[in-house]
Each structure stands twice: as C-alpha cells, then as structure tokens.
Amino acid sequence: MTTAICVTGLCKRFRENSALDSLSFDFPARMISALVGPDGAGKTTLLRIMAGILDYDSGQIQMFGEDYRKGFEAKKAAIGYMPQRFGLYEDLTVQENIDFFADLFGVRGNERRERVKRLLEFSRLDPFTKRLAGQLSGGMKQKLGLACALIHNPQVLLLDEPTNGVDPVSRREFWKLLYDLNRAGTTVVISSPYMDEAERAGHFALMSKGRLIAHGIPADERRNFQFAVYTLPTDRARAVKEQLCRRNEFRSVNLFGNSVHIVTDKSFQQENVKTVLESERLESASLQQIVPTFEDIYIALSTG
C-alpha cells in the first residue's frame, strides 16, 4: 500500500494548549481516509497543517516520500482543501465561484472549460449555475465547495467536516461523490465528528485531545477489537446505565437508544456479565455479545 502523506511525531501548540501531541500515522494513497473525533480532538489543526495554512512546532510530514516543507509551493498544486465553514462567496453565483477558483489556480483555455463542465455534472450543480451561493441549501453549498476544491485536479483532497450539519440525504449523496472521486484515483482525507463515517471510509484514524487512539482498516478494527462489547435491551436504559456505571467490573457502560452497551475485558466472559446483572436484580436473558460500533470503540479507548 503506497503512502500519500506520512505524519511523524507531529506537535502543535497554541500558547499553553497542545492541539497535536506527537501525532504519528499514515494516509494511504488512492484511498478515502476518515479522520474522526469530537470537537477539540485536533482534526482541523491537522488538516490546516497538511493544507499549508498552519505551520507545526516539531515533527515531520512527508508527501509521497518527500519532505513536506521543502518546495511546498510546488507541492501545493497537488492539494485541494475544503475548510470546515463555507468559505465561498455568497454574493457570487455558482458559476462565478467556480470561475474565481479556476482563475486562482491558473486553470485556463480548453482545459478550464472541460473541467468546469465535468465538475458541474459531477456535483449535479449544472442546473444552478446562475443561483447565488448564499441561496443554496447546506448540501448544495458543500457540493459547490467540493467542486471549487477540485478545479485544479489535485492528487490529494483534504475535507474538513464537510457533512457536519448536513441532512442525511445530502450526506449520503456527498459520500457517493467521494467514492466516485476515489475510483478515479484521488486520495481523500475527510474529517468528521460522526463515528459512523469511519465505517464509510477505506481507512480511518480516531483522534482524542490531539492524540491518535486507533487507526487502520474499519472492518479489521471492529472484528479484532481488544475488548468485548455486550448489548442489553431495556425499557429503562438510562436508569440501568446509571446503575451499572457504579460497578467496577466494566470498562464502560453507554446508552444506545433503547439499550445499554457494556464494554469489558475479553477475559470477563458473558456469564460473568450476567452474574453482575443478576446481582443488581436486572434481567440478563436478553444480553448478547455484539460486534462493536465505532462509537463503542471510541468511548472505550478514549476513556481508558
């Protein structure tokens, strides 16, 4: 597996706060990598550094095997970046925004006409070229931002929480566009606060407080998770969760809809869990071991 971006011992501080703390991992080439974690995890800081907007204090970044800082201006042409907040011009039309970014990146002539046509079709924005960007829906704004980030045909696309606050249908459509891009050979790094987006990607990295807590292939991580996860359906989920949180046999106990997820060491067998439930006068017959969700994985690893 070829590496697109390699991060080694990366540190970044803002005054007394450590945004990135000795961060080390790789982003595979020609794959979608999901960088997942809550607000404050360091995702935006990392993407801004990789986009060349922020400098870092120590560590190293390599892009396709070369030092990132050396000749960065030449490397910048290979990077597309879409910031977290809608960064386009709301008083310009869809077409005018795309034209502006084409000018910015020096895309001209026949190449420009072909790329603009392809991106409008790809993003399904071709019926809306005359609409002001400020009048677009949240999902359409994200598609326009993606089209503008792609106008110079980058090898690596960095997307900072593009699906945050977007409705489920638009979110699904946006991911379909990313899959289409990836099949065409683009390396995509997308950050998100949504744990399930780790499962949509070919590669993931979970972050907490500037540190990496897990990374790899999503299916492998779920299948080989180091802890056991059990689900207990109950119509008193919140009360049961609070009751079980007082026990020290479990690594974590969390609400999942109308059920409670219990995370334990693998040496603590299902019969042991049932014994604890029965000692708490709770029904244990419906207890089942399950494949963990990424929410289970994140909570277990970030609270350990």
Side-chain angles (χ1 to χ4, degrees):
M1 186 183 297
T2 306
T3 298
I5 299 176
C6 177
V7 175
T8 307
L10 203 66
C11 294
K12 177 65 180 178
R13 298 187 66 85
F14 294 101
R15 296 183 180 178
E16 300 303 315
N17 298 318
S18 179
L20 300 178
D21 187 0
S22 300
L23 202 62
S24 298
F25 59 97
D26 299 342
F27 294 98
R30 302 173 69 87
M31 191 176 284
I32 299 177
S33 292
L35 192 63
V36 183
D39 291 346
K43 306 184 303 297
T44 294
T45 298
L46 178 58
L47 286 182
R48 286 178 177 173
I49 287 172
M50 293 195 299
I53 296 169
L54 281 178
D55 201 1
Y56 49 97
D57 299 325
S58 60
Q60 187 181 48
I61 301 178
Q62 288 188 319
M63 183 174 177
F64 294 105
E66 297 182 3
D67 190 312
Y68 197 61
R69 279 174 164 166
K70 292 180 180 177
F72 178 75
E73 286 304 312
K75 292 184 177 70
K76 192 161 63 173
I79 301 169
Y81 172 64
M82 183 173 161
Q84 187 176 32
R85 299 183 185 279
F86 185 66
L88 305 179
Y89 296 95
E90 298 201 353
D91 55 346
L92 297 182
T93 65
V94 167
Q95 183 70 58
E96 288 168 340
N97 268 287
I98 294 175
D99 287 341
F100 172 79
F101 279 88
D103 288 340
L104 195 64
F105 286 103
V107 183
R108 296 183 176 86
N110 289 333
E111 182 182 31
R112 173 172 174 153
R113 283 189 288 274
E114 289 171 7
R115 284 192 193 175
V116 170
K117 182 176 183 295
R118 177 174 56 84
L119 286 171
L120 285 171
E121 292 173 352
F122 163 77
S123 61
R124 301 184 184 90
L125 288 172
D126 43 329
F128 308 103
T129 54
K130 295 181 179 180
R131 183 173 296 184
L132 292 175
Q135 296 176 353
L136 299 175
S137 67
M140 290 175 70
K141 283 181 178 179
Q142 298 301 69
K143 290 179 183 178
L144 176 56
L146 182 62
C148 291
L150 290 169
I151 192 64
H152 61 300
N153 201 26
Q155 288 178 269
V156 177
L157 182 63
L158 308 175
L159 306 173
D160 192 4
E161 299 195 3
T163 60
N164 196 7
V166 174
D167 67 86
V169 174
S170 296
R171 188 176 165 203
R172 187 168 59 247
E173 288 180 352
F174 193 87
W175 268 94
K176 183 181 182 303
L177 295 180
L178 297 188
Y179 292 140
D180 290 343
L181 275 175
N182 184 236
R183 279 192 291 270
T186 304
T187 299
V188 179
V189 179
I190 174 173
S191 73
S192 175
Y194 302 124
M195 292 296 151
D196 66 302
E197 297 211 318
E199 301 181 50
R200 294 174 181 259
H203 177 267
F204 79 96
L206 295 186
M207 290 183 65
S208 176
K209 299 176 183 177
R211 290 177 173 268
L212 180 71
I213 60 173
H215 70 105
I217 307 301
D220 291 347
E221 178 68 21
R222 293 183 68 199
R223 184 171 54 250
N224 302 321
F225 187 48
Q226 59 189 305
F227 302 108
V229 181
Y230 301 91
T231 184
L232 179 67
T234 172
D235 57 1
R236 299 188 305 112
R238 188 170 298 277
V240 169
K241 184 245 183 187
E242 291 175 359
Q243 186 175 346
L244 292 178
C245 278
R246 295 194 290 268
R247 303 292 301 222
N248 58 16
E249 294 93 340
F250 305 141
R251 187 173 182 86
S252 65
V253 182
N254 307 292
L255 287 175
F256 279 76
N258 293 324
S259 65
V260 172
H261 283 198
I262 302 167
V263 181
T264 73
D265 292 328
K266 285 192 173 179
S267 60
F268 200 77
Q269 302 293 321
Q270 185 165 343
E271 288 306 313
N272 301 124
V273 178
K274 286 187 175 182
T275 299
V276 173
L277 294 178
E278 289 162 5
S279 73
E280 292 287 334
R281 298 183 179 180
L282 296 172
E283 173 59 46
S284 65
S286 57
L287 182 76
Q288 289 185 325
Q289 186 169 358
I290 59 171
V291 175
T293 66
F294 266 86
E295 215 166 321
D296 293 316
I297 292 169
Y298 185 86
I299 292 171
L301 295 180
S302 63
T303 58

